[in-house]
Amino acid sequence: MTWMNSLDVSLSEAREQFPQNVTIASIEHSQRNYLISLECLDDMNRMGLGHLPLSAVALPYEMSSILTQPHEENLIRDVSRHLSDYFTNFFVAAIYELQSLFASQQKEAFIIGGITRDMLLSSERRFEIQDVDIIVEGNALDAAAFVSQSSRNFDLVQTFAPFGTAKLSYKNQIEIDFASTRREVYRACGALPEIVEMGVPLDQDIIRRDFTINALALSIVNPGEVIDCSGGLKDLENRKVRLLKAASFFEDPTRIMRALRYATRFDLTLAEDTSYLLDRFLEWMPQVYKGGGDRIRAEICEFFCLPETPVKTKWMNFWVEKGLHRLMDTRLPDVLDLPLPDVLDLPLPVERIAERLSVMRERLEGIWTDDLTWEVYITAIMLGLPEKAIEGAAFRIGLTRHEMDVVEKSLRLLRENVVCTLTPQEKVTRIYDIFHSMPAGAACVGILLSPQYEAPLEAFIRYRRELEPVRLEVSGDDIIKLGVPQGEQIGKLLKALLYVKLQGKVHHRLEEISWLKANIANLLEESAS
């Protein structure tokens, strides 16, 4: 039965008119049927988003599995015969000891999150587990205290009473976080959740999580029993990332970045309903969310720092095409104008970044860091913004002084790219001076901006591997002892000596001092003239 005939009605008005004795209602709009749940209306109104129309979260009928799945019977998959295939014997022993302890107390507990997902999704076997999350249907603090008191293999490390959590250690090798199952609500878009009840049944805890594939629970009391309250097993088989709730992106926009990260790591696709809800959130985002903050920064950074693969490039293109840079600051324009040179067979700017960055990461293996990856990507994004918008976006995601220095030096390279003129055959002093005058991240951006990047990259590799590590063993005090008075002349002499050492003409302290003794007079005379 159709409840309403328009998606333009506000969520607050819809809540007041919601039919009694039902949890899901139907809407007909433009000859298409949509569904919305009472829970979703309550979630959105609680966040102060009642002014938005039903269209912000109502789902087309054919995409409504996230509304109906929680009302279906839980699925259980038994992998008990394969626990030793998935995990080390050490971790399996920990599971069975916990099983004995929880069974003696008739308490339910579950391993939740990435471990269960990875166990079923990854081709790897015998995972080395260093930390694990366990949820307890009841009081996790009491459970943690009981476990540590009942077994000398478990030590209670720390408790966090306000959150109902505790940290234990198993034989000083595996960290175990105990948490009470709980029900949470959000009071504003992007705010941290508020715990309203602890010790709830598993299915009520599951619904607060981000995606179905992360909501699979591995039973402690029945080891090897995977409990699926949300359709996660089917989504794993179909390689889909699917939200658990229609209001999920409004509750926590960082879930957008996590969805892309999982899609990239495991080569998944976004479920149709999740993609639809993403578009609806982006449509209304500027009205309800400012963007930025530490959590958005951390999620974007994790995504950017994933290995360069064709799958990552695909999702980076998606990130740009959807205008997801606006998660940093929703005042930003929808479209990025990335200032990268045209490259044959690489028509999209993200492909050019990925292709060149992949080569850089490979060629600089051993000295390349995730910090460099982050600096290059975030700077490229900043260069794609109007210059007047950069400072605000940088503030919103908390760029450090060093990171802003990378951006500012890269802006100068955008106007005059001295990096692109370098070759590995260049004088070592010029290579050194150019790269030493800027952060490594800016140098890498300069390489990205070069029409032909191979020669500047070779020069940069030479700088990082051969020239940057060169250090003088003498100091200004040594020069003073040779009779030179304090002043700017000392700095000039040290620089001249460094150039000599970069060219391989001196190698150690004695040779440095000998060179100074032989050349101080001439250098001072040249400097004075």
Side-chain angles (χ1 to χ4, degrees):
M1 182 178 117
T2 300
W3 159 53
M4 252 185 204
N5 294 310
S6 175
L7 290 176
D8 298 327
V9 176
S10 73
L11 294 169
S12 58
E13 183 181 348
R15 178 63 181 89
E16 293 174 0
Q17 300 178 24
F18 201 83
Q20 295 182 349
N21 304 319
V22 298
T23 58
I24 300 173
S26 175
I27 307 157
E28 184 176 337
H29 182 86
S30 299
Q31 298 184 329
R32 191 178 187 185
N33 288 325
Y34 295 80
L35 294 181
I36 193 162
S37 68
L38 177 62
E39 178 189 41
C40 180
L41 288 174
D42 285 341
D43 289 341
M44 294 293 285
N45 280 288
R46 189 184 297 113
M47 288 188 284
L49 305 180
H51 61 287
L52 298 185
L54 281 167
S55 60
V57 282
L59 278 166
Y61 181 81
E62 65 274 15
M63 301 180 194
S64 58
S65 65
I66 64 175
L67 301 179
T68 57
Q69 181 69 46
H71 301 281
E72 297 177 4
E73 187 174 345
N74 295 342
L75 294 176
I76 296 177
R77 176 178 294 180
D78 185 3
V79 297
S80 56
R81 295 183 180 181
H82 304 287
L83 284 180
S84 293
D85 296 331
Y86 293 125
F87 306 118
T88 62
N89 292 335
F90 184 80
F91 183 64
V92 173
I95 292 177
Y96 276 99
E97 185 165 358
L98 286 170
Q99 184 269 340
S100 176
L101 293 170
F102 276 97
S104 72
Q105 296 292 298
Q106 297 184 321
K107 297 283 188 182
E108 290 286 356
F110 308 89
I111 294 174
I112 197 78
I115 288 179
T116 310
R117 175 200 66 223
D118 294 354
M119 175 185 75
L120 298 172
L121 190 59
S122 177
S123 59
E124 295 181 22
R125 290 294 178 263
R126 298 184 70 82
F127 293 108
E128 289 287 345
I129 305 298
Q130 296 180 326
D131 54 79
V132 60
D133 294 326
I134 291 179
I135 55 173
V136 180
E137 282 189 349
N139 190 311
L141 297 176
D142 291 345
F146 171 74
V147 168
S148 63
Q149 292 165 8
S150 303
S151 172
R152 62 184 181 182
N153 291 327
F154 293 90
D155 294 317
L156 185 61
V157 178
Q158 200 170 9
T159 60
F160 307 90
F163 301 100
T165 62
K167 186 181 293 291
L168 289 86
S169 173
Y170 177 69
K171 294 186 177 181
N172 294 318
Q173 293 189 51
I174 300 176
E175 285 191 353
I176 305 175
D177 289 317
F178 274 35
S180 299
T181 52
R182 60 187 187 264
R183 190 166 61 85
E184 296 175 340
V185 297
Y186 289 80
R187 301 293 182 186
C189 178
L192 292 174
E194 175 186 317
I195 300 172
V196 294
E197 186 179 2
M198 290 197 285
V200 301
L202 175 66
D203 58 351
Q204 292 184 32
D205 178 274
I206 289 299
I207 197 65
R208 71 182 178 84
R209 299 179 182 276
D210 50 10
F211 307 109
T212 61
I213 60 173
N214 290 337
L216 299 168
L218 182 63
S219 176
I220 293 292
V221 175
N222 299 296
E225 190 174 271
V226 177
I227 302 171
D228 178 14
C229 306
S230 62
L233 289 172
K234 183 177 180 181
D235 285 332
L236 279 182
E237 291 172 2
N238 294 327
R239 307 191 71 80
K240 300 286 187 183
V241 180
R242 189 186 308 276
L243 290 172
L244 282 157
K245 300 168 67 178
S248 192
F249 286 142
F250 284 95
E251 290 180 338
D252 185 359
T254 66
R255 288 170 176 162
I256 297 171
M257 293 311 307
R258 287 205 292 281
L260 300 194
R261 178 154 51 88
Y262 295 134
T264 300
R265 279 183 60 195
F266 300 110
D267 194 9
L268 310 178
T269 59
L270 297 188
E272 189 178 13
D273 51 14
T274 300
S275 183
Y276 179 87
L277 289 168
L278 171 59
D279 288 339
R280 301 290 75 72
F281 172 75
L282 294 177
E283 180 182 351
W284 295 103
M285 179 175 70
Q287 295 189 29
V288 301
Y289 181 59
K290 292 182 179 180
D294 292 342
R295 294 171 63 238
I296 281 289
R297 175 198 165 101
E299 291 292 346
I300 293 176
C301 182
E302 278 200 63
F303 175 56
F304 284 176
C305 290
L306 291 171
E308 304 304 326
T309 64
V311 175
K312 179 185 175 183
T313 301
K314 177 183 74 173
W315 288 110
M316 281 294 305
N317 274 323
F318 179 91
W319 193 87
V320 171
E321 289 165 2
K322 290 290 184 181
L324 295 181
H325 59 281
R326 291 176 295 153
L327 289 170
M328 303 188 300
D329 184 345
T330 56
R331 299 169 299 178
L332 295 176
D334 295 351
V335 179
L336 285 172
D337 183 17
L338 298 175
L340 298 175
D342 291 333
V343 178
L344 189 64
D345 298 328
L346 296 174
L348 298 176
V350 169
E351 292 179 2
R352 297 173 224 158
I353 295 176
E355 190 261 353
R356 294 184 174 196
L357 201 54
S358 178
V359 174
M360 281 191 260
R361 292 175 76 162
E362 180 181 349
R363 296 295 310 281
L364 289 161
E365 186 177 3
I367 56 177
W368 188 273
T369 64
D370 281 348
D371 286 343
L372 262 180
T373 303
W374 161 250
E375 289 170 17
V376 171
Y377 267 116
I378 196 63
T379 301
I381 299 305
M382 290 291 174
L383 297 185
L385 299 173
E387 194 165 335
K388 62 183 180 181
I390 291 175
E391 185 176 350
F395 176 78
R396 291 293 307 163
I397 61 166
L399 290 193
T400 64
R401 181 60 255 174
H402 168 76
E403 290 162 348
M404 275 305 298
D405 190 36
V406 174
V407 173
E408 289 163 3
K409 294 291 196 308
S410 298
L411 281 169
R412 294 180 194 172
L413 291 174
L414 195 57
R415 301 182 186 103
E416 183 181 359
N417 191 356
V418 292
V419 170
C420 74
T421 66
L422 290 173
T423 70
Q425 293 77 36
E426 192 80 46
K427 288 182 178 180
V428 292
T429 53
R430 184 166 185 265
I431 293 175
Y432 183 89
D433 282 345
I434 287 177
F435 286 129
H436 193 67
S437 69
M438 64 185 71
C444 292
V445 172
I447 294 169
L448 286 181
L449 296 173
S450 301
Q452 300 294 327
Y453 77 98
E454 292 86 354
L457 174 58
E458 291 300 323
F460 183 63
I461 291 170
R462 185 178 183 190
Y463 169 75
R464 291 301 298 264
R465 295 198 182 280
E466 300 175 20
L467 306 181
E468 188 181 35
V470 173
R471 297 288 186 274
L472 292 177
E473 297 178 48
V474 300
S475 65
D477 290 339
D478 294 307
I479 296 178
I480 291 172
K481 290 176 183 178
L482 294 177
V484 179
Q486 288 186 348
E488 63 180 21
Q489 301 295 343
I490 290 178
K492 293 179 179 179
L493 289 170
L494 288 172
K495 185 173 183 180
L497 176 58
L498 177 61
Y499 282 175
V500 170
K501 193 165 187 176
L502 288 170
Q503 295 171 64
K505 296 178 180 178
V506 297
H507 303 88
H508 50 73
R509 176 178 171 82
L510 288 178
E511 289 185 352
E512 291 174 13
I513 291 176
S514 295
W515 185 88
L516 284 169
K517 288 179 178 178
N519 292 277
I520 275 180
N522 290 336
L523 289 170
L524 291 176
E525 185 177 333
E526 289 175 9
S527 178
S529 62

